[in-house]
Amino acid sequence: MPIGTVAFLCLAAVLGAGAGAVFALVGRLAPAGKVGAVTGVVGAAGGLGGFFPPLVMGSIYGAVGDYTFGLVLLAATALLCALLAYTALRRRAAEQD
């Protein structure tokens, strides 16, 4: 149990840092008059990101009886989002400077 507790606390810290980085990026890239609206859209997307994966995982487990395919889909989605942030958004942030 202590290892699980430490793992979940570390996971929470990393997820919090990631969310902070996303909102910092919104502040840099969004036009000054639209930061609030963009922040709302980003927050809604985050809410959907917490809502749909459990549904998908449950559906896949119900159909296949295993979580492997759902975890692979989740990892692939995370990798694509990371690549998007690294390429397109990083380039755009560099142009802003």
Side-chain angles (χ1 to χ4, degrees):
M1 179 136 5
I3 294 173
T5 302
V6 170
F8 279 113
L9 288 174
C10 290
L11 183 63
V14 170
L15 289 171
V22 167
F23 284 107
L25 196 60
V26 167
R28 286 185 66 191
L29 297 180
K34 297 189 182 207
V35 170
V38 174
T39 299
V41 170
V42 169
L48 289 174
F51 178 74
F52 281 113
L55 295 177
V56 171
M57 293 293 287
S59 297
I60 289 174
Y61 185 78
V64 180
D66 191 23
Y67 288 112
T68 304
F69 184 64
L71 290 171
V72 168
L73 284 175
L74 189 60
T77 303
L79 182 63
L80 287 174
C81 291
L83 286 172
L84 173 70
Y86 184 76
T87 57
L89 296 178
R90 187 171 181 178
R91 188 177 321 125
R92 187 166 173 201
E95 290 171 2
Q96 293 277 331
D97 290 340

